[in-house]
Amino acid sequence: MININMNKAKEIWRDKIRGDRQPVLEDLDIQYLKATEAQNTTLKNHIEIKKQELRDAPEDIRIAEAATPEDLKVIDPVSEIMTISELDQAKLDKLQDIDNDWKVILNNGWQTPEGWSFGIHTDDVTLLNGAFTLAKEAAALGSTDPIVILDTDGEPHALTLEQMIPLMLAYGQARTTLSATDAARRKAVKNATTVEELEGI
């Protein structure tokens, strides 16, 4: 009868998993760089999750609980982590579609009733809010001079505080509505239980 040192066997199996995951991690690093260049946020997030799961793979609880070498041989977390179901792949594809839709929305910006276009990127929101704050501070000091803001075409528009207030309210409401719609679509994808359900999102 052969005595098996299970503690040593478990360490050997953990080393095997580390070896198995190395080329996979290297490939994911390349995919991550490509996703970064393509500004594909969804794919980047997916890769980050997979990489963390691979880092944790040698500490799979099933290894500690294994009682025999046969128990160890069926533990293959690397393959399990990198196997993606049809539903999960469909979710990933749908989220990438939503990312692309959001990029189009950001590029189009928001149209004012006057036909001006204002950007809705985070930097654009910060700049417009800054101009509004400046207009309020100037008005508080008794100034009636207009504040000049630029639209996405680089055209200047001189506005008083009274003119900016309804503009900022409409701008904020539009940005909120767009963000809420985007968030709702992403939540629907997360909660979807069938591929067919995803097709309607």
Side-chain angles (χ1 to χ4, degrees), residues 23-200:
V24 181
L25 282 170
E26 291 171 0
D27 182 61
L28 287 176
D29 284 339
I30 295 171
Q31 292 183 42
Y32 189 85
L33 287 175
K34 292 179 178 178
T36 300
E37 291 173 357
Q39 298 182 332
N40 190 330
T41 304
T42 292
L43 186 55
K44 285 174 61 178
N45 291 340
H46 173 74
I47 292 170
E48 287 170 356
I49 291 170
K50 291 298 180 184
K51 288 175 69 174
Q52 187 57 55
E53 289 176 348
L54 287 168
R55 293 187 193 102
D56 296 338
E59 303 309 316
D60 191 308
I61 189 64
R62 294 174 297 176
I63 297 174
E65 294 174 346
T68 67
E70 287 68 30
D71 293 340
L72 289 173
K73 289 177 183 178
V74 298
I75 303 171
D76 185 10
V78 174
S79 294
E80 293 168 4
I81 290 167
M82 296 311 296
T83 298
I84 185 167
S85 69
E86 181 185 4
L87 177 60
D88 285 340
Q89 183 62 57
K91 286 187 176 186
L92 185 60
D93 294 340
K94 177 59 71 171
L95 286 172
Q96 290 180 39
D97 289 342
I98 293 174
D99 281 346
N100 291 334
D101 291 343
W102 183 246
K103 287 177 185 176
V104 171
I105 290 171
L106 289 178
N107 289 334
N108 289 339
W110 174 69
Q111 296 288 325
T112 71
E114 294 79 10
W116 312 332
S117 180
F118 288 119
I120 55 175
H121 287 268
T122 303
D123 291 345
D124 299 316
V125 175
T126 301
L127 287 172
L128 198 54
N129 281 334
F132 184 55
T133 299
L134 183 61
K136 289 192 293 183
E137 291 175 351
L141 294 173
S143 174
T144 57
D145 293 338
I147 297 295
V148 177
I149 55 177
L150 299 177
D151 62 24
T152 54
D153 295 322
E155 292 293 327
H157 302 281
L159 301 171
T160 64
L161 176 61
E162 289 73 20
Q163 291 171 321
M164 284 195 73
I165 290 174
L167 174 69
M168 292 299 295
L169 289 173
Y171 179 82
Q173 182 60 49
R175 185 65 165 76
T176 298
T177 299
L178 291 170
S179 296
T181 301
D182 179 75
R185 291 183 71 195
R186 293 177 189 277
K187 183 177 180 180
V189 170
K190 180 181 178 181
N191 294 336
T193 56
T194 66
V195 174
E196 291 73 23
E197 188 178 350
L198 288 169
E199 293 172 356

